[in-house]
Amino acid sequence: MTTMIVLGGNMYDDSTIEHFLKDAAAIGYEGVEIRGVGELKDGHISQERAEQIKSLLVGYRLTPINLSLFVGNFACNTEEENHEEFLKWERYLDFASTIGCGMMRLNPGFQHSDEVSKEDFAKAVKWFQQCADAANSRNIRAVIEMHHGTLCDHADSSIAFVEAVGRSNVGLIMDPVNLYQVPTDYGIATIQRLKPYLLNVHIKDIVKLQGNQYPWAFEYSDYVPHIGRYHRVIPKQGKQDEQYFCHRLINQGGIDWYEVFRGLKQIGYNGYLTVESVSKPGSDLPVHTELAQQCYNDVQHLLSVTKSNVNV
């Protein structure tokens, strides 16, 4: 299994791009996944600033592998809103082309896959195709992050949507934490099914709690408070049971990362492994540089165990 270890920008949402890139390079990450938040929100990025970021990437010898964007949500929007999302996508395409980034995340819709109407599904496919075609003209891939509460919330729905779009530059990001919260399978059998579509794997960890007594617990409720800052969310119909989770260091939560890495090795995965751990100042987890270093060590450990285990 030959992969590139990438640092995602999640843990630097409250910091600067300069801080993020400096840490990534110093620790030994080969690539970065840049988040569409803060100064990059909505894609209004001057050419001068884009060139500055490109210079930093070149100077640090970092590959920008993906823009982790809050764009799309086509199934849940009006046609006018989707046109605005397409224009936003085009702005990000300009930025990605400038810095040499080959993938951009695009969301089909924040609605459960088993509750979307045929009309809204078709609308999401249509707009996704337009965005993928615009990206393809720049040699950029449009990638979907498998995520609870979306049209791509498990293997079946994710594969069905990619095949409905029918574009060669469209693929998937598998995030076992997101699938753990559905809950749905993220192990070897699922990874084998995803092989033709898999372009990136997000790595972080959480654990399900019995209650909300832990000070840093967060509730699962279609992630409305979090995602609602960027997208219109259509929550699951009917009352949902209260579920609480908290962030943990990689391989210290509820995700069986040994199973995931065995599955990736079995399919000969040679894509990206992107650290997407999150923490907040004051929580039990470290932040920024310390967390990025710990995560790098954790991923290296998982890779070494997978490589040395002859039974995988």
Side-chain angles (χ1 to χ4, degrees):
M1 185 168 70
T2 304
T3 60
M4 178 188 291
I5 304 178
V6 175
L7 181 60
N10 297 55
M11 65 185 80
Y12 291 85
D13 277 357
D14 62 346
S15 189
T16 63
I17 291 177
E18 283 77 5
H19 183 192
F20 167 51
L21 299 182
K22 181 180 179 181
D23 278 3
I27 291 166
Y29 288 93
E30 299 173 81
V32 287
E33 183 177 86
I34 297 173
R35 297 258 290 171
V37 299
E39 65 170 302
L40 303 186
K41 185 181 179 184
D42 296 329
H44 294 291
I45 308 154
S46 70
Q47 185 63 25
E48 180 184 8
R49 180 55 172 154
E51 294 287 352
Q52 288 174 349
I53 293 171
K54 178 183 178 181
S55 295
L56 287 169
L57 290 163
V58 171
Y60 285 131
R61 298 182 179 180
L62 290 168
T63 301
I65 67 103
N66 183 35
L67 298 184
S68 184
L69 305 177
F70 296 92
V71 183
N73 200 36
F74 302 121
C76 307
N77 292 339
T78 65
E79 288 293 280
E80 292 75 18
E81 289 168 334
N82 282 336
H83 179 67
E84 290 301 315
E85 290 299 300
F86 180 75
L87 295 178
K88 186 194 303 183
W89 179 253
E90 287 191 315
R91 293 194 295 271
Y92 277 121
L93 284 173
D94 290 339
F95 175 62
S97 296
T98 298
I99 68 172
C101 185
M103 290 197 302
M104 290 165 43
R105 183 177 73 176
L106 186 61
N107 189 282
F110 250 90
Q111 183 176 13
H112 289 253
S113 64
D114 60 348
E115 295 184 350
V116 67
S117 69
K118 290 181 179 179
E119 294 76 17
D120 287 342
F121 184 89
K123 179 172 60 175
V125 168
K126 179 190 75 170
W127 282 101
F128 209 100
Q129 288 172 333
Q130 290 187 35
C131 289
D133 290 343
N136 196 43
S137 68
R138 313 269 195 121
N139 200 29
I140 292 172
R141 289 168 165 166
V143 290
I144 305 162
E145 181 173 353
M146 299 172 70
H147 204 294
H148 50 84
T150 74
L151 299 192
C152 297
D153 50 6
H154 51 75
D156 288 342
S157 60
S158 301
I159 293 170
F161 188 83
V162 171
E163 292 187 345
V165 171
R167 296 296 190 266
S168 60
N169 66 321
V170 172
L172 294 171
I173 301 171
M174 188 182 89
D175 188 322
V177 161
N178 293 342
L179 301 182
Y180 171 76
Q181 290 176 89
V182 172
T184 188
D185 182 69
Y186 59 82
I188 290 175
T190 292
I191 291 169
Q192 289 173 339
R193 293 187 61 203
L194 296 176
K195 179 180 178 180
Y197 317 95
L198 194 57
L199 299 175
N200 191 3
V201 177
H202 279 173
I203 305 180
K204 55 180 180 282
D205 218 331
I206 64 171
V207 67
K208 186 175 182 179
L209 304 173
Q210 292 297 310
N212 63 351
Q213 295 307 300
Y214 177 60
W216 297 96
F218 59 88
E219 184 179 5
Y220 170 77
S221 57
D222 291 317
Y223 261 19
V224 175
H226 169 58
I227 297 298
R229 295 176 294 169
Y230 308 102
H231 290 305
R232 176 182 294 119
V233 179
I234 300 180
K236 191 170 183 62
Q237 296 177 16
K239 187 178 185 302
Q240 294 186 74
D241 294 333
E242 290 185 346
Q243 297 182 66
Y244 295 94
F245 300 87
C246 68
H247 295 290
R248 286 286 183 261
L249 293 172
I250 294 168
N251 220 27
Q252 294 186 25
I255 306 302
D256 186 348
W257 281 108
Y258 293 112
E259 169 85 355
V260 174
F261 274 63
R262 281 195 298 271
L264 295 175
K265 183 178 180 181
Q266 286 185 17
I267 68 168
Y269 180 70
N270 59 359
Y272 305 108
L273 298 173
T274 301
V275 167
E276 211 195 24
S277 295
V278 226
S279 72
K280 297 179 180 179
S283 74
D284 291 341
L285 270 65
V287 297
H288 300 146
T289 314
E290 187 180 350
L291 180 58
Q293 179 69 69
Q294 179 67 53
C295 290
Y296 184 81
N297 296 344
D298 292 338
V299 174
Q300 290 282 22
H301 169 73
L302 285 165
L303 284 169
S304 66
V305 170
T306 305
K307 185 177 180 180
S308 62
N309 190 339
V310 296
N311 295 318
V312 299

